Amino acid sequence: MKRQKTVYEAAIDHGFTRRDFLKMCTALAATLGLEYTQSDKVVKAMETNTRVPVIWMQFQDCTGCSESFIRSSQPKTESVLLDMISLEYSEVLSAPSGFQVESSMEQVYKDYKGEYIIAVEGSIPDDDSFLSVGGKSAKDTFIKMAEGAKAIIAYGSCSSWGGVAAAYPNPTGAKPITAHVKNTPVILVPGCPPIAEVMTGVIAYIITFGKFPELDHLGRPTSFYRHRIHDKCNRRAYFDAGLFVENFDDEGAKQGYCLYKVGCKGPTTYNSCAEMRWNGGVSYPIQSGNPCIGCSEKGFWDNGPFFERRAKIPGTQTTINPDEVGLAALGLTAAGIAVHAAGTVVKKKKDDKRGEEE
Ligand code: FSX
Ligand code: SF4
Ligand code: F3S
């Protein structure tokens, strides 16, 4: 088996100083949710761990996941791509193309069997005639590469759940990649696309610690998917006060009121948008005036219609009625909060149940 450079060696080769390297490790420790004092763990790992060969496969997708990934601000994409991993195959980022790049995939399979990681975006069609890459069935290539991989990262809602291609009537018979994986561990990083820093954070964690971060019952990293958008939403005070946008151009919209009545799915969507935000922390859909459409949830394309108020929060049977909660604003504050709190308890129970059912 060929030896890859350590992350530290690669960083020095790419012109980093020791000081730059230590700074990178401290920042990375913060992204991984470690205490400042634990950054020496990251330094040690980066000095000894060799770069991991990565094969980035694309199936039925829109390339939005790659587009998101290359915009990561912490860890910076270039540091992930140049120092932590050795990206051996990517339709978007590899310099070679055609048979040349297809043969590098074959080479990785031979040289690093059991060691390489596969990152996947896109779903896989049941019928081979819908997708071939390099003249071969994409499904067969994936199955073979998956068997030789150490781990698989499913980036995006398409590879995690089926995504847009699997939306009704699912003409290609699209399935999530887990339908074709037998024994290799898979981590799901859903979102259409996922947040850049979540994407790089997950891969950085795996490379630093040589294992997956803690996963929830659906296989998603808990550190990024443990909260509903609604739990951390910047408009949440308006929900609790019963102040809602009724139409996109009304006074409530100008005031930044809650978007529940114009279809927000934040109450049933698990993702880090409200905490981490997008584009290096600048904003996220709700902050920018658009309801959450639940893009990280299973089957979200069919969970519509988008932008229409939901009679009740689906899948949870929560009995919160925004009109009743609205009474809180007229003086029934305590009662309103009680209604809401009860709703949240019900939601929590149902969520726990949801996990058992799925
Ligand atoms: Fe799917 Fe990735 Fe949506 Fe696109 O490629 S998760 S369609 S944003 O980006 O696979
Ligand atoms: Fe935020 Fe949507 Fe919840 Fe309103 S319903 S508080 S906009 S997540
Ligand atoms: Fe998607 Fe909702 Fe975040 S639509 S990007 S999960 S706010």
Side-chain angles (χ1 to χ4, degrees), residues 191-193 195 229 269-271 273-274 278 284-286 291-296:
C192 191
I195 301 169
I229 302 291
T269 302
Y270 289 79
N271 205 346
C273 309
W278 285 76
Y284 72 112
I286 291 170
C292 170
I293 58 171
C295 79
S296 52

Side-chain angles (χ1 to χ4, degrees), residues 89 91 97-99 101-103 105 131-138 141:
Y89 178 99
E91 287 175 18
S97 59
F99 292 115
V101 76
E102 294 304 322
S103 70
M105 172 147 36
L131 186 61
S132 61
V133 179
K136 291 184 201 148
S137 147
T141 308

Side-chain angles (χ1 to χ4, degrees), residues 229-231 233-240 244 257-261 264-267 284 286 291-292:
I229 302 291
H230 188 64
D231 298 331
C233 179
N234 62 308
R235 297 184 187 232
R236 177 58 183 268
Y238 293 117
F239 178 95
D240 292 346
F244 298 97
Y257 289 175
C258 169
L259 298 164
Y260 181 74
K261 290 190 180 178
C264 185
K265 295 191 174 74
Y284 72 112
I286 291 170
C292 170

Side-chain angles (χ1 to χ4, degrees), residues 82-97:
L82 298 174
D83 306 329
M84 295 185 200
I85 66 171
S86 150
L87 187 63
E88 303 287 339
Y89 178 99
S90 154
E91 287 175 18
V92 174
L93 300 171
S94 288
S97 59

Side-chain angles (χ1 to χ4, degrees), residues 7 21 38 60 73 85-86 100 116 125 133 139 156 161 181-182 194 211 221 235-236 274 337 342:
V7 174
F21 170 75
Q38 288 187 306
Q60 299 190 120
S73 56
I85 66 171
S86 150
Q100 228 181 336
Y116 62 87
V133 179
K139 182 164 68 181
W161 314 125
V181 180
K182 283 206 183 101
K211 59 176 188 182
R235 297 184 187 232
R236 177 58 183 268
I337 290 170

Side-chain angles (χ1 to χ4, degrees), residues 1 13 38 50 105-106 123 137 162 199 221 237 250 258 285 309 335:
M1 188 168 297
D13 276 5
Q38 288 187 306
T50 51
M105 172 147 36
E106 197 53 44
S123 62
S137 147
M199 298 180 80
D250 69 8
C258 169
R309 179 199 167 157

Side-chain angles (χ1 to χ4, degrees), residues 56 58-67 120-123 155-159 162-165 190-194 295 300-301:
W56 189 298
Q58 283 183 249
F59 301 118
Q60 299 190 120
D61 68 325
C62 78
T63 312
C65 303
S66 292
E67 289 284 349
V120 194
E121 56 182 307
S123 62
Y155 279 137
S157 292
C158 298
S159 61
V164 65
C192 191
C295 79
F300 85 96
W301 292 103

